Amino acid sequence: MNQPFIVLVTPQLGENIGMAARAMLNCGLEHLRLVAPRDGWPNDKAISASAEALLQMPAVEVYPDTKSAIADCHYVYATSGRPRHMVKPIYTAESAAIEMKARVTSGERVAILFGAERSGLSNDDLMLATSIINVPTSPKFTSLNISQAVLLVAYEWLRVNDTTPARRYDNPESRPATHEEYQGFIDRLEENLSKFGFFQAPDLKPTMMRNIQNTLRRAEMTEQDIRTFHGIVSVLTGSKIKS
Amino acid sequence: MNQPFIVLVTPQLGENIGMAARAMLNCGLEHLRLVAPRDGWPNDKAISASAEALLQMPAVEVYPDTKSAIADCHYVYATSGRPRHMVKPIYTAESAAIEMKARVTSGERVAILFGAERSGLSNDDLMLATSIINVPTSPKFTSLNISQAVLLVAYEWLRVNDTTPARRYDNPESRPATHEEYQGFIDRLEENLSKFGFFQAPDLKPTMMRNIQNTLRRAEMTEQDIRTFHGIVSVLTGSKIKS
């Protein structure tokens, strides 16, 4: 149980519960608790909207009130989009996730409360939490759908542990060309361009070749790309590849 | 126009278009383009699901195909959740947002393509993009709803510029207590605890007072809290506050 509980307090639409569950599982969160869902539980619309996420998660736990839903938890965050005039620390979704990770790792059971669609959490529910999570939004349009709010909080949880490289390639069929392969193609291209009269002004040749090289280097060609471009030169010149 | 265009290619459900628009506006993105939406445009379900976001944004632009939707753009990202065996750089949503910000700031028009609900983008659409955005997800459940995918990409865009402090308070009615105010209360509490016989073992007094102080300091009391706790001591001891 090394992850927080998501607690939806008096959620109304089954579709939102299902979308929230799907968002949770997208981010590796599996423990959903519901407080007095308006349309009861289980809810067919929720299961359908979850795109099978609810079927892959442990059973959803349903409680009559917020107090009982968090009774076994050591630390509770409340999500809120508007000022409440309560003296509680307010975290961004990112900083909450970082802190939450530290708590969960040291054995605390952590819950995150989300309020109902229109009204959000009541002040009495907010009082039960030690701190508030306020997901940053554009000040011009702050109202987040509940499943979108769950997604952003869950996504920040995922991000804490995510090690996906910022930029990568996914092309097992080919590998990046070496500089020797690049150079072999560029030398051949230059030779053919000279032979076919591309460089009308010989003093501009170094600049033109530099520009062509820069263009091709930006393409980050693979070994296969180099072979393809050799083929193009061969066909256009009626020659064969030098090897 | 200092922001990317969101381009939904052949979206099916109006609800998803509306939820995507809401997510965009939550994150400050206002420019939505649609390629051949299945149910035509305008779409009442989209407007309803957008929670008025579509009414606050510039008019949605509708195009017959992807090529015409990106004709005026200088750089195109395609979102994709699965490997395509195409040689293109793959960015996380975060690293794409950072790069996108640099492009947009230097005057490039940037588009981000999202595919239809079930199938995602076709390989022909992917070919039109220079790079791919792959939103990190849990490997156990990678299928993101289209409006959730739009939200995460838009959220990372928002994050690039977001300066919300990691932790803050929102309590204009009161300010944090000063250490002098803290000390005044603690000294008075200690005096009363001594007088009423709380310290049965005098050699443990320093440790007990240290623990009580640590508890109260963790509460990060406000000036109002200090006054309230003075009031509690006054009532319980039948005394008046010293000033």
Side-chain angles (χ1 to χ4, degrees):
Chain A
M1 234 319 290
N2 287 320
Q3 51 175 243
F5 298 98
I6 299 293
V7 182
L8 306 185
V9 179
T10 60
Q12 300 178 329
L13 295 172
E15 290 85 344
N16 283 334
I17 300 172
M19 289 277 284
R22 179 178 181 174
M24 287 171 59
L25 208 55
N26 283 147
C27 300
L29 294 181
E30 301 192 331
H31 299 281
L32 176 58
R33 293 178 171 187
L34 302 178
V35 174
R38 186 190 66 184
D39 299 335
W41 194 259
N43 179 320
D44 286 344
K45 286 183 181 168
I47 289 164
S48 161
S50 81
E52 307 219 320
L54 280 167
L55 306 177
Q56 296 182 33
M57 293 160 68
V60 171
E61 296 172 9
V62 182
Y63 296 87
D65 52 39
T66 308
K67 276 181 191 168
S68 52
I70 60 171
D72 63 343
C73 295
H74 304 102
Y75 195 92
V76 176
Y77 296 90
T79 55
S80 178
R82 53 194 165 89
R84 301 293 192 123
H85 307 291
M86 289 199 193
V87 186
K88 284 189 201 293
I90 304 173
Y91 290 89
T92 60
E94 179 187 19
S95 58
I98 293 166
E99 203 209 53
M100 210 178 290
K101 176 73 186 176
R103 292 185 181 280
V104 166
T105 304
S106 59
E108 292 185 45
R109 272 191 299 277
V110 169
I112 312 167
L113 307 180
F114 293 83
E117 278 87 344
R118 284 175 188 278
S119 48
L121 290 168
S122 69
N123 283 343
D124 282 347
D125 285 333
L126 228 73
M127 189 192 59
L128 299 173
T130 305
S131 59
I132 293 174
I133 300 175
N134 181 263
V135 181
T137 56
S138 161
K140 288 186 193 165
F141 199 78
T142 60
S143 161
L144 283 170
N145 167 275
I146 180 176
S147 71
Q148 306 281 49
V150 169
L151 174 63
L152 294 180
V153 170
Y155 175 69
E156 290 285 6
W157 168 263
L158 176 108
R159 272 174 120 266
V160 173
N161 295 308
D162 184 53
T163 55
T164 311
R167 187 177 194 274
R168 64 198 156 97
Y169 277 92
D170 173 30
N171 51 315
E173 290 88 359
S174 193
R175 56 159 179 78
T178 64
H179 272 252
E180 186 178 29
E181 288 161 346
Y182 250 109
Q183 202 58 55
F185 174 69
I186 286 163
D187 289 348
R188 178 161 173 246
L189 181 66
E190 179 175 349
E191 188 188 314
N192 277 282
L193 290 176
S194 291
K195 186 169 142 195
F196 284 80
F198 182 76
F199 303 110
Q200 307 251 347
D203 54 332
L204 289 182
K205 181 176 164 181
T207 306
M208 295 176 86
M209 276 314 297
R210 205 175 296 131
N211 291 345
I212 291 169
Q213 278 212 49
N214 283 336
T215 304
L216 292 175
R217 301 259 180 215
R218 278 204 303 277
E220 299 190 34
M221 294 167 86
T222 64
E223 180 260 350
Q224 174 62 58
D225 294 334
I226 295 284
R227 277 193 277 130
T228 301
F229 275 68
H230 269 300
I232 289 173
V233 170
S234 297
V235 162
L236 295 182
T237 60
S239 68
K240 291 224 167 168
I241 187 168
K242 280 187 186 174
S243 62
Chain B
M1 233 320 289
N2 288 320
Q3 50 174 243
F5 297 99
I6 299 293
V7 183
L8 305 186
V9 179
T10 61
Q12 300 178 328
L13 296 172
E15 289 85 345
N16 283 334
I17 301 171
M19 288 277 284
R22 179 177 182 175
M24 286 171 59
L25 208 55
N26 283 147
C27 300
L29 294 181
E30 301 192 331
H31 298 280
L32 176 58
R33 294 179 169 186
L34 301 178
V35 174
R38 186 190 65 184
D39 299 335
W41 194 259
N43 179 321
D44 287 344
K45 286 184 181 168
I47 289 165
S48 162
S50 80
E52 307 219 322
L54 280 167
L55 306 177
Q56 295 182 34
M57 294 159 67
V60 171
E61 296 172 8
V62 182
Y63 296 86
D65 53 39
T66 308
K67 276 182 190 165
S68 52
I70 61 171
D72 63 343
C73 295
H74 303 103
Y75 195 92
V76 176
Y77 296 91
T79 55
S80 178
R82 54 193 164 89
R84 301 293 193 123
H85 307 291
M86 289 199 194
V87 186
K88 284 188 202 292
I90 304 173
Y91 291 88
T92 60
E94 178 187 21
S95 59
I98 293 166
E99 203 209 53
M100 211 179 289
K101 175 74 184 172
R103 291 185 181 280
V104 165
T105 304
S106 59
E108 291 185 44
R109 272 192 299 278
V110 169
I112 312 167
L113 307 180
F114 293 82
E117 278 86 343
R118 285 174 186 277
S119 47
L121 290 167
S122 70
N123 283 343
D124 282 347
D125 286 333
L126 229 74
M127 189 192 60
L128 299 173
T130 304
S131 60
I132 293 173
I133 300 175
N134 181 264
V135 181
T137 56
S138 161
K140 287 185 193 163
F141 199 77
T142 60
S143 162
L144 283 170
N145 167 275
I146 180 174
S147 71
Q148 305 280 50
V150 169
L151 174 63
L152 293 180
V153 170
Y155 175 69
E156 289 287 7
W157 168 262
L158 176 109
R159 273 174 120 266
V160 173
N161 295 308
D162 184 53
T163 55
T164 312
R167 187 175 194 275
R168 65 200 156 97
Y169 277 92
D170 173 29
N171 50 315
E173 289 90 357
S174 191
R175 57 159 178 79
T178 64
H179 272 252
E180 186 178 30
E181 287 160 348
Y182 249 110
Q183 202 57 55
F185 173 71
I186 286 161
D187 289 348
R188 179 163 172 244
L189 181 67
E190 179 174 350
E191 187 188 315
N192 277 283
L193 290 177
S194 289
K195 187 168 142 196
F196 285 78
F198 182 76
F199 304 111
Q200 308 251 347
D203 54 332
L204 289 182
K205 182 177 164 181
T207 305
M208 294 175 87
M209 277 313 297
R210 206 176 294 132
N211 291 344
I212 290 170
Q213 279 212 47
N214 283 335
T215 303
L216 291 174
R217 300 261 180 214
R218 278 204 302 277
E220 300 190 34
M221 293 167 88
T222 63
E223 180 260 350
Q224 174 60 58
D225 293 335
I226 295 283
R227 278 194 277 130
T228 301
F229 274 68
H230 268 300
I232 290 173
V233 170
S234 297
V235 162
L236 295 182
T237 60
S239 68
K240 289 225 170 172
I241 187 168
K242 280 187 185 174
S243 62

